[in-house]
Amino acid sequence: MERILPLVVGNWKMNGHFADECRIRALLCSLEPLSLRADVIICPPATLIRSFSSLVKESGVAIGAQDCHTALSGPYTGDISSSMLVDAGAKAVILGHSERRIAHGETSHIVRKKAKIAHQAGLTAIICIGESEAERVRGEGARFVVDQLRASLPDMPDCCWSRLVIAYEPVWAIGTGDVPAPAELEEVHSMIREELQSLSLEYGRKTRILYGGSVRSSNVSALLSMKNVDGALVGGASLQVNELLGILSFYAS
Ligand code: PEP
């Protein structure tokens, strides 16, 4: 069977200024000799997409965004559309991150609409799903995640599958230092895989399913060695070049 090329996404969240170009330059320099067997996408704040995109040209690293609106244009003060992100140089967009679901009331219905418009603009949609601590404690985590996945996925023509990425990010693991046990992680990822394959056997088995939540260079090999874990969505650690390199080294040949 065709092997999935892993993907590591760095989510800078609301951190970074123009002067942080130096972090991207340092990352590119250090990656050059590594011959990575993985794709890399860095998602800075929207203000930095254009300048970072010109820095990474022809480097193998791509720049992504952290959100987009459900419409392509219109009277939505403060919002950014998927076509504007493409115009600025973004290749991907993170959608439905738990920080947006919780702090901005984003429902899976909204995430689904955003994914559809992201695909229309030509972006890769990185759809985040994950259970809260309360759902986990009730033993309902896996079921919750599959239901959230179903509700967040847009209807997809065949051509869009290669631009779909799922990121499993348990809310209780984000920024806490806690991570699922590898076997627990594999169980959820294989349920996500089954669900994707029930929609398309051909494309579901090739879709990248990332893990996100307190990924560090110290825990990366336990987490990313799992069969259905095709890479990572990295928050805090992606801001430190050395830490991110430590994570990426897992895929260096
Ligand atoms: C995230 O917010 O997407 C994330 C994975 O954060 P962290 O790595 O800091 O837990």
Side-chain angles (χ1 to χ4, degrees):
M1 198 178 94
E2 206 182 314
R3 280 183 73 190
I4 296 178
L5 183 66
L7 167 66
V8 175
V9 179
N11 174 13
W12 278 26
K13 311 193 185 196
M14 198 174 72
N15 296 291
H17 294 89
F18 185 65
D20 293 302
E21 265 201 3
C22 61
R23 299 191 203 198
I24 300 296
R25 287 183 202 280
L27 178 69
L28 296 181
C29 279
S30 312
L31 283 181
E32 223 177 61
L34 281 189
S35 64
L36 272 199
R37 197 180 32 80
D39 287 331
V40 180
I41 302 177
I42 302 294
C43 301
T47 48
L48 299 176
I49 290 174
R50 179 170 287 283
S51 60
F52 283 15
S53 292
S54 43
L55 272 185
V56 302
K57 262 192 195 132
E58 290 154 35
S59 73
V61 172
I63 298 302
Q66 299 174 17
D67 182 42
C68 71
H69 195 269
T70 54
L72 281 181
S73 63
Y76 306 106
T77 304
D79 282 313
I80 301 183
S81 76
S82 53
S83 66
M84 291 168 184
L85 296 175
V86 171
D87 196 39
K91 304 289 185 219
V93 60
I94 297 172
L95 296 173
H97 190 284
S98 59
E99 286 158 10
R100 293 206 61 84
R101 288 182 188 262
I102 294 165
H104 296 265
E106 269 189 22
T107 60
S108 294
H109 180 69
I110 295 173
V111 174
R112 178 191 197 129
K113 284 166 92 175
K114 290 185 172 188
K116 185 167 181 190
I117 205 108
H119 278 159
Q120 267 173 28
L123 291 167
T124 291
I126 303 165
I127 299 180
C128 301
I129 50 175
E131 80 284 7
S132 67
E133 174 70 24
E135 282 131 8
R136 182 185 195 220
V137 168
R138 287 200 298 270
E140 294 167 4
R143 180 69 8 230
F144 177 89
V145 165
V146 171
D147 288 347
Q148 199 179 42
L149 172 65
R150 264 188 213 138
S152 304
L153 278 180
D155 293 332
M156 280 188 303
D158 290 357
C159 61
C160 286
W161 275 91
S162 63
R163 287 186 285 110
L164 174 72
V165 174
I166 303 300
Y168 168 55
E169 298 209 306
V171 180
W172 52 267
I174 294 181
T176 59
D178 294 335
V179 294
E184 204 184 325
L185 181 60
E186 175 55 24
E187 196 183 322
V188 180
H189 276 236
S190 62
M191 285 181 75
I192 295 171
R193 174 79 62 214
E194 266 171 38
E195 182 59 29
L196 293 171
Q197 291 191 157
S198 75
L199 299 173
S200 164
L201 193 56
E202 182 185 355
Y203 298 113
R205 67 173 175 226
K206 296 191 243 177
T207 301
R208 293 188 278 196
I209 307 172
L210 313 184
Y211 167 71
S214 296
V215 175
R216 309 273 184 271
S217 55
S218 53
N219 59 21
V220 69
S221 68
L223 297 167
L224 302 193
S225 303
M226 294 292 106
K227 178 164 167 263
N228 282 296
V229 180
D230 309 310
L233 177 47
V234 184
S238 71
L239 287 160
Q240 301 156 36
V241 177
N242 283 339
E243 195 48 29
L244 182 59
L245 282 168
I247 293 166
L248 289 170
S249 302
F250 179 75
Y251 294 118
S253 36

